[in-house]
Amino acid sequence: MKKTWFMGFCLLGLSASFAQAEEIGSVDTVFKLLGPDHKIVVEAFDDPEVKNVTCYISRAKTGGIKGGLGLAEDTADAAISCQQVGPIELNERIKAGKEEGSVVFQKRTSLVFKKLQVVRFYDGQRNALVYLTYSDRLVDGSPKNALSAVPIMPWTR
């Protein structure tokens, strides 16, 4: 029974279509004698379901020996800014308001239990896309969050 549950969970994780982030740059915040320094990393990703929306995330990354080995838990600190980079094309499911917060990006921030997520909401009344980033754990999440809104406007150059 446990084996079947675990396999189903793995298959579900593989089938999710989340955006992949590209690292834009980083700055060191704390010098570590052994291992990489603590830093703030800036990454960009394109919304996988909405053409021509790009989001930029800055997040804390823990260094040191544990951080270098991938064993450290990053803090829940993150910021987000999303922009329209061309004509936005919404699919019918989003326009109809059938999505109540779709996860568009996930990044592990600890070995197993913690992840940073970006969730997209559609505000039809104001014709805007709203992106919320937050960190959660298997048992206990964090109230720290950041928000960015993208008005859906005609694209002109």
Side-chain angles (χ1 to χ4, degrees), residues 43-73:
E43 297 172 314
F45 70 89
D46 297 323
D47 187 320
E49 292 186 32
V50 178
K51 187 175 179 183
N52 292 317
V53 172
T54 298
C55 293
Y56 297 89
I57 292 181
S58 65
R59 63 183 183 85
K61 185 160 177 62
T62 304
I65 295 171
K66 283 186 177 181
L69 296 173
L71 302 174
E73 183 174 298

Side-chain angles (χ1 to χ4, degrees), residues 113-114 136-140:
F113 299 114
K114 190 174 180 184
D136 70 352
R137 271 193 212 153
L138 188 59
V139 177
D140 181 30

Side-chain angles (χ1 to χ4, degrees), residues 5-18:
W5 179 82
F6 180 75
M7 290 296 289
F9 182 77
C10 289
L11 289 175
L12 179 66
L14 291 175
S15 66
S17 67
F18 300 124

Side-chain angles (χ1 to χ4, degrees), residues 15-60:
S15 66
S17 67
F18 300 124
Q20 295 294 318
E22 169 190 347
E23 186 171 322
I24 302 299
S26 66
V27 294
D28 292 346
T29 58
V30 175
F31 172 75
K32 294 304 232 178
L33 188 58
L34 300 174
D37 295 342
H38 294 325
K39 57 181 70 180
I40 297 172
V41 178
V42 177
E43 297 172 314
F45 70 89
D46 297 323
D47 187 320
E49 292 186 32
V50 178
K51 187 175 179 183
N52 292 317
V53 172
T54 298
C55 293
Y56 297 89
I57 292 181
S58 65
R59 63 183 183 85

Side-chain angles (χ1 to χ4, degrees), residues 83-140:
Q83 281 78 38
Q84 178 179 4
V85 295
I88 292 177
E89 297 176 19
L90 297 180
N91 63 36
E92 292 304 317
R93 191 178 71 234
I94 295 173
K95 283 184 196 174
K98 303 260 190 227
E99 291 188 349
E100 295 268 338
S102 295
V103 177
V104 296
F105 177 79
Q106 280 188 344
K107 182 104 174 180
R108 287 201 175 282
T109 54
S110 77
L111 186 59
V112 179
F113 299 114
K114 190 174 180 184
K115 62 184 175 280
L116 176 73
Q117 298 191 76
V118 176
V119 178
R120 178 191 59 242
F121 299 92
Y122 175 60
D123 181 355
Q125 183 177 351
R126 293 163 191 84
N127 202 28
L129 295 167
V130 180
Y131 293 85
L132 169 71
T133 185
Y134 67 99
S135 182
D136 70 352
R137 271 193 212 153
L138 188 59
V139 177
D140 181 30

